Amino acid sequence: MTDPVSRSWQLLMVGPGSRHVTPDLHDRLMRLLDLLPQTRLIELETDAGDVSVSRDWPSDRLEEVKAIEAEITEMPGIVRLTLFQAA
């Protein structure tokens, strides 16, 4: 299952079970995160141990987000900006 979609993030996998993440499973995990944007973390339990799967964005993207947040909070009449993340 090759996914030609261009994303601003990549898959981050941490844990001893990550050796069980085949290209096919990798594509399916990416697709899950595409379909469920509110999901911030997927945990898999494997016979080799757990693996945590999440999105990883380049640092320049996070810097851009912080800059936009600062611009918004500096606008006249704006007292606070609150971003709600998926629980």
Side-chain angles (χ1 to χ4, degrees), residues 19-77:
R19 69 182 177 104
H20 285 290
V21 180
T22 63
D24 181 53
L25 178 52
H26 181 276
D27 289 348
R28 291 171 192 271
L29 291 167
M30 299 270 293
R31 187 70 180 133
L32 270 178
L33 291 172
D34 282 341
L35 292 170
L36 299 168
Q38 71 277 15
T39 301
R40 63 178 190 83
L41 178 68
I42 298 171
E43 291 188 347
L44 296 173
E45 185 176 332
T46 74
D47 57 10
D50 295 344
V51 59
S52 297
V53 181
S54 61
R55 293 176 189 89
D56 185 35
W57 285 274
S59 61
D60 62 328
R61 179 181 166 128
L62 298 177
E63 291 168 6
E64 183 178 355
V65 167
K66 288 178 185 178
I68 293 170
E69 290 173 343
E71 291 168 359
I72 292 171
T73 58
E74 292 171 3
M75 291 179 161

Side-chain angles (χ1 to χ4, degrees), residues 2 5 18 26 28 44 50 56 68 76 80 83-86:
T2 303
V5 175
S18 60
H26 181 276
R28 291 171 192 271
L44 296 173
D50 295 344
D56 185 35
I68 293 170
R80 180 179 67 204
L83 299 176
F84 292 92
Q85 305 297 322

